[in-house]
Amino acid sequence: MLADRIEAKWIDAFCEIFERCAVKAGDTAAILSETQSRALNVHLAELALLRMGARPFHVVMPTPRNRNIVPVRSTGASEAIQKLGPVITALQQAGFVVDCTVEGLMHAVETPEILKAGARILVISNEHPEALERMVPDPALEKRVRAAAKMLRGTKRMRVTSKAGTALDVDMVGASTVGVWGWTDKPGTLAHWPGGIVVSFPKSGTINGTLVMAPGDINLTFKRYLTSPVTMTLKDDYVVELEGEGTDAAMMRAYLAAWGDREAYAVSHVGFGMNPGARYEALSMYDQRDTNGTEIRAVSGNFLFSTGANEFAGRYTAGHFDLPMMGTTIELDGVAVVREGVLQDVFG
């Protein structure tokens, strides 16, 4: 197995993203990790913060046992903190938290309490730093993502169609929308790196229709490009049928059923990628342990459909699929923001 060494260029990349997060000399910064975190990224975070004159400290948690009967991947809901009060307090008081946990704090149960205290969290996705260095801060991307999030927040209906047969209808009234461009500089906020994504968490009973994944679409939980079609029928947010003749459909059916949890079949969020620097083929360039697929989620023009937990609809589950789909058309109140997989020039 190849052993990676620290590279100056990677420290540079971490410094660039921390500068965007308004880290200044003398600032306190907590580096949160767990025993199974990617050690290289933890070290790079420390070295970058020290180079900038910040005052970092480490909080390292034992990676908890997986109590599920199936492997858990890419949930964005780290269980590393285990609700330990002293850990939560330390992160609240740090001001800036560099999150290097395996799954990340995006949907962790402790995150709202940490953010409410005014801390800002940068989730460094569990990627090899070679992928992170390509996803450099882009002020133009921030502007476009902000515009897209504003448009989604004012949208009443999302319509997703494709030549493969997708015809999905989403009632967006009251949906909670998040735009992530790769960094955060405001107290009480969270972002993840890489960025370039806008997603909405619809309310309960708002999603109906048919979703067809075509060969070449991606199941990021399995880190796999599909080789055969998968057709999902959705009724009031839930996948009620999952059809397909190939391995892709069989694996998805087995994984969903293994949870023994109806909520694993429900929709988590819907959105689209906006980062022109994110590469569709990147998933094929890294070993599975070296990628979390965040770059794929951000590929410009993909429709990002996810099943699993949606706290805004009152649904909680550890089962989760992130399913970027290419070639769709996404309309917001009749305005096409993505047409046949191509992001339209409507966000400036």
Side-chain angles (χ1 to χ4, degrees):
M1 184 176 68
L2 293 176
D4 287 306
R5 51 161 270 172
I6 298 290
E7 296 283 354
K9 62 176 183 175
W10 293 337
I11 302 175
D12 292 342
F14 275 61
C15 284
E16 289 174 22
I17 206 74
F18 293 158
E19 286 169 0
R20 286 287 175 182
C21 292
V23 175
K24 304 278 193 306
D27 286 356
T28 302
I31 303 172
L32 174 67
S33 64
E34 56 186 291
T35 49
Q36 286 297 309
S37 289
R38 190 181 303 277
L40 184 58
N41 288 347
V42 176
H43 294 162
L44 288 168
E46 176 191 298
L47 292 172
L49 289 166
L50 288 171
R51 179 188 286 182
M52 297 173 68
R55 303 180 65 188
F57 66 92
H58 289 275
V59 178
V60 186
M61 300 298 299
T63 296
R65 181 174 178 175
N66 179 11
R67 300 290 178 179
N68 302 289
I69 64 171
V70 291
V72 177
R73 295 289 186 274
S74 302
T75 64
S78 173
E79 297 181 353
I81 295 176
Q82 296 285 287
K83 299 182 181 179
L84 279 175
V87 174
I88 295 171
T89 299
L91 299 178
Q92 288 174 326
Q93 295 180 353
F96 180 57
V97 177
V98 182
D99 173 19
C100 291
T101 59
V102 175
E103 293 295 336
L105 295 180
M106 178 73 74
H107 304 299
V109 296
E110 301 90 354
T111 297
E113 191 175 353
I114 297 168
L115 294 176
K116 188 176 180 180
R120 61 196 190 283
I121 300 173
L122 177 68
V123 179
I124 297 183
S125 187
N126 188 27
E127 315 282 355
H128 192 281
E130 192 278 333
L132 295 171
E133 72 170 297
R134 291 187 291 106
M135 301 286 103
V136 295
D138 181 359
L141 179 62
E142 176 187 5
K143 180 181 177 182
R144 292 193 300 271
V145 172
R146 285 185 181 276
K150 182 178 180 180
M151 186 174 183
L152 278 167
R153 292 185 183 112
T155 295
K156 295 181 178 179
R157 190 161 300 276
M158 175 189 287
R159 180 76 173 167
V160 185
T161 56
S162 74
K163 290 182 178 179
T166 291
L168 193 68
D169 186 79
V170 184
D171 182 349
M172 294 286 289
V173 176
S176 180
T177 296
V178 177
V180 179
W181 44 88
W183 68 87
T184 175
D185 57 3
K186 293 184 179 180
T189 58
L190 176 150
H192 59 73
W193 178 37
I197 305 170
V198 60
V199 296
S200 296
F201 296 81
K203 288 195 168 183
S204 181
T206 56
I207 303 171
N208 292 277
T210 303
L211 195 65
V212 182
M213 296 187 70
D217 289 339
I218 302 170
N219 186 321
L220 279 180
T221 302
F222 296 158
K223 299 177 184 176
R224 173 185 174 97
Y225 296 95
L226 269 65
T227 59
S228 54
V230 175
T231 300
M232 288 172 274
T233 303
L234 289 105
K235 184 175 180 180
D236 296 333
D237 303 348
Y238 289 85
V239 177
V240 295
E241 290 184 68
L242 196 156
E243 301 172 291
E245 299 296 326
T247 302
D248 297 300
M251 289 174 64
M252 290 179 70
R253 283 192 292 263
Y255 191 76
L256 286 168
W259 294 100
D261 183 358
R262 180 173 181 257
E263 304 307 332
Y265 290 82
V267 177
S268 175
H269 57 75
V270 294
F272 48 92
M274 300 186 68
N275 193 329
R279 300 300 307 176
Y280 163 77
E281 69 277 8
L283 193 63
S284 67
M285 303 293 185
Y286 301 96
D287 293 337
Q288 286 202 347
R289 285 178 62 91
D290 277 342
T291 181
N292 192 45
T294 304
E295 178 177 0
I296 309 300
R297 294 168 174 86
V299 169
S300 181
N302 90 80
F303 172 54
L304 183 57
F305 176 83
S306 299
T307 61
N310 178 352
E311 56 264 44
F312 302 99
R315 298 192 293 262
Y316 302 89
T317 180
H320 185 73
F321 275 134
D322 270 330
L323 306 169
M325 302 178 199
M326 313 298 160
T328 68
T329 294
I330 305 172
E331 295 176 297
L332 305 181
D333 290 338
V335 177
V337 295
V338 174
R339 191 180 298 279
E340 296 185 4
V342 178
L343 187 68
Q344 301 298 286
D345 188 18
V346 295
F347 302 117

